[in-house]
Amino acid sequence: MRSTTLRPALLALCLSVPTLQLSAQTFKLPPITFTGAPAFSQADLLKVSGLQPGATATQADVQAAAQHLSDTGLFSDIRFESNATGLVYDLKPMPPEHLLRASFTNFVWWSPTELTTALKARVPLYTGVVPTAGNLQDTIASALKAMVAEKGTTASIVAIPHSAQPGATPSSIAFKIESPAVRVQTITLIHASPAMQPRLDSVIKDQTNQPFDTTTTHTSITTALTSAYHDAGYLDMAVLNLTQAPPQVTPNGIDLAFTATLSEGQPYQLFQLNWPGSDIISTADFYKQAKMKPGDMASEAALRQSLSIIAGAYFAKGFQDAKVKAPATFDHLGHHVSYTITVDPGPQYHIHSVKALGLSAEQQKQFDSAWHMNPGDFYDTTYLTNFLHNNSALQSLAGYSATYNASSDPDTHLVDLTITFAKGGVLN
């Protein structure tokens, strides 16, 4: 008994298995078994191989079957042999680092579960992950194209690697209808009061005519509506339901209509905004600058602006990790709310070094003269922005732009600041 190995990079193979008497002549295929890859069904593996027990075949057909399996990109090594049980293909699955999770951006006719079920029925060996190489991506895209065509739309499907963070290694492959455009066309609000309509009109304008995304659109609409109400003091507001009507195919794209059912509640007023004061910013100084006073509408936007005053004061003194919190205490019967502000300042950071790159000798001289945050000083995270926006002494840098990198050492609490200037853009 002899065996033959197929690796993805190896295309020319030699097979000699006496039991089957494989040659250029045809022979009857015995039972076929696949081992080493229990995640895949025998039926799906057989379908991809193109073989059928009992059918006539040649040596080239047996070898081609291994190649078909290899072309999917799901296997790093394939060996096949003839033994007493028949023809056996031993498969070595591709390591996990060569497989990415499949996601689907805007296939609006199906829920994620329905889409997965439909693809598993149409694409043998699809289990929810896609190899980084091989033809399985194209096979999935073709299946999706056919599914969309059955809905009356001729679509262009693309597969795009997606990373959780910019520049990071891709963690998934996102399949997307590239054309026609899939868009949010309308948003209808149920139980919205006339008093809120101007704010809600702005939300609807921002959220419509936007590309639809299965994972983000519902959240984006819900968050935008909730923020509009909370910024107007309706702190009990909730989106009870957000429904999506069947998509409408038009000459310009695939349009979606949403309906949001709202529970507004009653607006709240601010009862107290408590800041006990600190060495960084006193109670009196904060209240002079605060954007909300007792009796005002309890706007979350005004609260954020007020808290940023305290945060900015801490940042200016080198507390770049400062965390400002303001838990709410509600009087639901009287519709009043109070906030007590606390700060976890964290360590205080100082400047270790400052470098300005991309400057001529004259420009460096002007920079050194105007710059006043030097080694040993507190690291003020707002100073650089204000300096670039407001300093008129940098005449020679008109027509330049700047980027910066602040490298902080969490052990020494020292910051190395590098500012890089380049021609073009605005100095900010």
Side-chain angles (χ1 to χ4, degrees), residues 129-140:
V129 296
V130 184
T132 54
N135 61 22
L136 192 62
Q137 288 187 33
D138 292 337
T139 304
I140 294 171

Side-chain angles (χ1 to χ4, degrees), residues 243-264:
T243 59
Q244 173 186 317
Q248 299 298 312
V249 179
T250 72
N252 297 321
I254 302 170
D255 294 338
L256 299 173
F258 287 84
T259 300
T261 303
L262 311 178
S263 173
E264 287 189 337

Side-chain angles (χ1 to χ4, degrees), residues 106-107 155-160 175-182:
N106 55 358
F107 295 86
S156 173
I157 311 295
V158 295
I160 304 171
F175 292 87
K176 177 183 179 181
I177 299 176
E178 186 175 44
S179 64
V182 184

Side-chain angles (χ1 to χ4, degrees), residues 391-408:
N391 200 298
S392 60
L394 303 177
Q395 299 289 336
S396 63
L397 287 174
Y400 277 69
S401 60
T403 58
Y404 75 94
N405 178 62
S407 179
S408 304

Side-chain angles (χ1 to χ4, degrees), residues 109-125:
W109 293 273
W110 304 274
S111 69
T113 300
E114 291 170 339
L115 196 59
T116 298
T117 300
L119 282 175
K120 286 182 177 180
R122 292 172 182 250
V123 181
L125 308 186

Side-chain angles (χ1 to χ4, degrees), residues 1 22 39 96 262 278 309 428:
M1 177 178 61
L22 299 185
L262 311 178
S278 71
I309 295 167
N428 57 37

